[in-house]
Amino acid sequence: MKGPSSLEELIDSLRCLPGVGPKSAQRMAYHLLQRARPGAQRLAQALTQALERIRHCEMCNSFAEEAVCALCRSPRRDKSLLCVVESPTDLAMVEQAQCYQGLYFVLMGRLSPLDGIGPREIHLERLIERASGGEVQEVILATNFTVEGEATAHYIGELLRAKGLKVSRIARGLPAGGELEHVDSSTLAQAVVERREA
Amino acid sequence: MKGPSSLEELIDSLRCLPGVGPKSAQRMAYHLLQRARPGAQRLAQALTQALERIRHCEMCNSFAEEAVCALCRSPRRDKSLLCVVESPTDLAMVEQAQCYQGLYFVLMGRLSPLDGIGPREIHLERLIERASGGEVQEVILATNFTVEGEATAHYIGELLRAKGLKVSRIARGLPAGGELEHVDSSTLAQAVVERREA
């Protein structure tokens, strides 16, 4: 015996959430209807409003409600530096570290040919246009140190260097407070290779 | 630097989903806005529609779009049997087993005093009224074999027996195809205690 059709539809549509399969979609639907109706109402409104209002900043490509986001508009930022990150989360992490006063470009992904994510999907044309506009003096590649993040940094680096731009990659090495005994050998090897004059 | 406010609101409101903390709420929001906008639209509509339409069946207390659900209205069901389950999922499991032709009462929970779930929250007054209406000959307690499910079955059993009703509990024992070697000793002990004449 099937449940009411708007319940089936709710369960089915919850599956658009990442990592939510049929079982957890059902659990979520029951929870919302049984114990969290005000929360469900709020979620429906928040979804509708976010879909209406949120687009991508024309400058940095991160999520924004305006054509150009507050960070890109800020007069305090150094317009000669452009930091390339994979996601808005990564941008937030760099901001939290309070080590950087330049601007950003958010790829909204990383090159991953097997998943159909190529140069177009990570907006490389826009990045190159932005970087070669004249104001940017250095592009800092801050993609992740995963296989895909490294490949993405390499690919972007080649393109930008061909345009005569200065390109750098954030350093890999031991974490702050890190002990040699507890670090993986690939990180340690990189830290040795990339040693700096003391 | 905080993100746009309707993004913050979306992330925050996703946390009403069970098991979703700040990190996964953020991941979900980014995924919806970045790669699943049609899905997000559909989810918003499904939530609104489900909240409008879904209520509890007056007979069995399960989710329904009508005052009395299709199962309770069915002329094919045996009105002398009433099976008590904790949730609509459990009802669906019993239906799938195709072993039962009676009606149901869904508690929508289990007694759990520490979580503030007492007799009122699991609608015991309605269950007792329903069971003592005259039509019901036997109440089958099919709550889970967890500590709370057992306590709930015991509590309901006492109440209904006091009203002179016949009350039974579904059997505990080895699962179909189960081997003694691979079953926990509490289940095995119960299977021995509850042995039937062969």
Side-chain angles (χ1 to χ4, degrees):
Chain A
M1 180 84 44
K2 279 184 71 180
S5 66
S6 50
L7 179 60
E8 296 292 321
E9 168 64 14
L10 175 58
I11 293 171
D12 226 49
S13 60
L14 279 164
R15 297 194 51 193
C16 72
L17 297 170
V20 173
K23 282 253 169 183
S24 35
Q26 193 185 53
R27 197 165 48 89
M28 284 176 168
Y30 289 171
H31 174 86
L32 290 173
L33 290 167
Q34 185 61 16
R35 300 196 204 287
R37 285 189 171 236
Q41 192 82 62
R42 185 179 162 205
L43 176 56
Q45 277 160 7
L47 281 164
T48 307
Q49 187 173 307
L51 287 168
E52 271 168 25
R53 296 197 190 164
I54 293 179
R55 44 183 167 170
H56 293 278
C57 170
E58 287 170 14
M59 295 278 282
C60 72
N61 197 38
S62 191
F63 293 125
E65 293 192 16
E66 312 85 8
V68 175
C69 76
L71 195 153
C72 289
R73 284 200 315 267
S74 166
R76 290 198 208 129
R77 310 294 303 206
D78 180 350
K79 290 176 177 51
S80 69
L81 291 175
L82 188 67
C83 178
V84 177
V85 290
E86 294 182 19
S87 74
T89 323
D90 296 343
L91 187 159
M93 296 309 290
V94 178
E95 283 298 293
Q96 262 179 45
Q98 300 191 311
C99 57
Y100 178 71
Q101 279 299 310
L103 296 175
Y104 291 92
F105 188 85
V106 182
L107 300 171
M108 289 288 176
R110 64 213 66 84
L111 288 178
S112 180
L114 290 178
D115 302 316
I117 301 176
R120 183 199 296 267
E121 282 68 31
I122 59 170
H123 315 279
L124 286 199
E125 261 179 51
R126 273 179 61 198
L127 168 58
I128 289 163
E129 200 185 301
R130 171 85 191 281
S132 20
E135 272 191 322
V136 175
Q137 301 298 314
E138 179 181 351
V139 176
I140 301 168
L141 301 173
T143 54
N144 290 319
F145 283 102
T146 56
V147 174
E148 283 136 342
E150 288 275 56
T152 307
H154 181 78
Y155 188 87
I156 297 174
E158 295 284 295
L159 282 176
L160 294 178
R161 263 187 294 269
K163 300 264 174 194
L165 279 152
K166 182 178 172 192
V167 181
S168 59
R169 179 90 171 101
I170 54 168
R172 178 154 64 174
L174 267 68
E179 296 171 5
L180 268 66
E181 193 181 333
H182 299 119
V183 92
D184 67 284
S185 52
S186 146
T187 301
L188 186 52
Q190 204 74 21
V192 172
V193 171
E194 294 184 9
R195 65 194 178 278
R196 309 189 310 173
E197 231 171 291
Chain B
M1 180 85 41
K2 277 184 73 179
S5 66
S6 51
L7 179 60
E8 295 293 321
E9 168 63 13
L10 176 58
I11 293 171
D12 226 50
S13 60
L14 279 163
R15 297 195 52 194
C16 73
L17 297 170
V20 174
K23 282 252 169 184
S24 36
Q26 194 185 51
R27 196 165 48 88
M28 284 176 168
Y30 288 171
H31 175 85
L32 290 173
L33 290 168
Q34 184 61 17
R35 302 196 203 287
R37 285 190 172 234
Q41 193 80 62
R42 185 179 161 206
L43 176 56
Q45 277 160 9
L47 281 164
T48 307
Q49 186 173 308
L51 287 169
E52 269 168 27
R53 295 198 190 163
I54 294 179
R55 46 182 166 167
H56 292 278
C57 170
E58 288 170 11
M59 293 279 282
C60 71
N61 197 38
S62 190
F63 293 126
E65 294 193 17
E66 313 84 9
V68 176
C69 75
L71 195 153
C72 288
R73 284 199 315 266
S74 166
R76 289 199 209 131
R77 311 292 303 205
D78 181 349
K79 291 177 174 50
S80 70
L81 290 175
L82 187 68
C83 177
V84 178
V85 291
E86 292 182 21
S87 74
T89 322
D90 296 345
L91 186 158
M93 296 308 290
V94 178
E95 283 297 293
Q96 261 178 44
Q98 300 192 309
C99 57
Y100 179 70
Q101 280 297 314
L103 296 174
Y104 291 92
F105 189 86
V106 182
L107 299 171
M108 289 288 176
R110 65 213 65 83
L111 287 178
S112 180
L114 291 179
D115 302 316
I117 301 176
R120 182 199 298 266
E121 281 69 31
I122 57 171
H123 315 278
L124 285 198
E125 260 178 53
R126 272 179 61 199
L127 167 58
I128 288 163
E129 199 186 302
R130 171 86 191 281
S132 21
E135 271 191 322
V136 175
Q137 301 298 314
E138 179 181 351
V139 176
I140 301 167
L141 300 173
T143 55
N144 290 320
F145 283 101
T146 55
V147 174
E148 282 136 344
E150 289 275 56
T152 306
H154 181 77
Y155 188 88
I156 296 174
E158 295 284 295
L159 282 176
L160 294 178
R161 263 187 294 268
K163 300 264 174 192
L165 278 152
K166 183 179 173 193
V167 181
S168 59
R169 180 89 170 101
I170 54 168
R172 178 155 65 173
L174 266 68
E179 295 170 5
L180 268 67
E181 192 181 332
H182 299 119
V183 91
D184 68 284
S185 51
S186 147
T187 302
L188 186 53
Q190 204 74 23
V192 172
V193 171
E194 294 184 8
R195 66 191 177 279
R196 310 190 309 173
E197 229 172 292

